Amino acid sequence: MRVVLVEDDNHVAGALAAVLTRQGYDTVRAEDGAAALRAVDAGTDMVLLDLGLPDMDGIDLCRRIRRVSDVPVIMVTARSQVNARVKGLEVGADDYLVKPYDVRELLARMGAVDRRGRSRVSAGGELVRVGDVVIDLAARRVEAGSRTVVLTKKEFDVVALLARHPGVVLPRERILREVWQTSWRGLGRSLEVHVASIRRKLGPDDVIETVRGVGYRLASR
């Protein structure tokens, strides 16, 4: 899970990022509101948002995030007044936690918000079928025949990106940009390794086709 941590205090951000990393989260730090707006994209799974930012108020930042994304947002702030809590939830936060807090409570709240979000999007259904392979984009689940295929986050992100553009060849540079959040071609080998791993896990049918010299596409059968 990719978490954007919006926190201007280096000490707080460093300690929290270390905890999140140990728990398996892929953490991206944003020191202010402008950096947060650049960091939040389609690959973001959750935002931890401090309200006291140097360039804009966190309430305004949450409002701006909501204009472009329904990513889960947990406000983590020293503002303990009821009015502040109500305002935060009204502008679109999914939860609100007051500092100082026990990190175990934060992790529990993150898990709860994530579960609610997954249930909500799964209800809408968003299935892509390729032969015996079924890709549930909303639930982030892949099935091949009667078995569930366990993919890593990056592997699923690659599959999901291709599945959202069925039959379309996506250049390697675009996949790297949207999944790895980089335009560095040096990661091309990593993309190849991930595609090879996906193919092994999905089975004998070549669900991902290579278009030599260009990129990859999801098979259309």
Side-chain angles (χ1 to χ4, degrees), residues 14-15 26-28 63 75 82 86 89 101 105 136 149 153 158 173 179 183 186 188:
D26 180 12
T27 305
V28 177
R63 192 179 286 118
M75 290 183 171
V82 172
V86 172
L89 296 172
Y101 56 83
E105 181 179 0
D136 187 334
V149 180
K153 180 181 182 303
V158 171
E173 293 79 6
V179 175
S183 58

Side-chain angles (χ1 to χ4, degrees), residues 6 32-34 36-37 40 47-53 55-76 79 84-96:
V6 188
D32 54 33
L37 290 173
V40 174
V47 176
L48 298 181
L49 175 57
D50 181 29
L51 297 185
L53 301 174
D55 59 342
M56 70 177 72
D57 189 86
I59 293 291
D60 293 332
L61 175 57
C62 184
R63 192 179 286 118
R64 294 179 64 173
I65 290 173
R66 279 289 168 261
R67 291 174 186 162
V68 297
S69 173
D70 61 355
V71 63
V73 174
I74 299 179
M75 290 183 171
V76 185
R79 299 179 190 174
R85 299 185 190 196
V86 172
K87 188 66 175 178
L89 296 172
E90 284 181 343
V91 299
D94 296 87
D95 203 351
Y96 192 106

Side-chain angles (χ1 to χ4, degrees), residues 113-127:
V113 168
D114 181 51
R115 287 193 298 275
R116 289 201 298 270
R118 289 179 187 279
S119 298
R120 186 167 58 246
V121 295
S122 292
E126 195 175 355
L127 302 180

Side-chain angles (χ1 to χ4, degrees), residues 131-174:
D132 291 335
V133 174
V134 179
I135 304 163
D136 187 334
L137 296 172
R140 297 181 64 84
R141 183 171 59 242
V142 176
E143 295 181 355
S146 58
R147 64 187 176 87
T148 297
V149 180
V150 179
L151 299 178
T152 67
K153 180 181 182 303
K154 277 282 191 298
E155 289 171 352
F156 184 84
D157 288 345
V158 171
V159 171
L161 178 60
L162 296 173
R164 289 189 176 98
H165 304 81
V168 177
V169 181
L170 297 186
R172 298 160 62 90
E173 293 79 6
R174 178 175 175 181

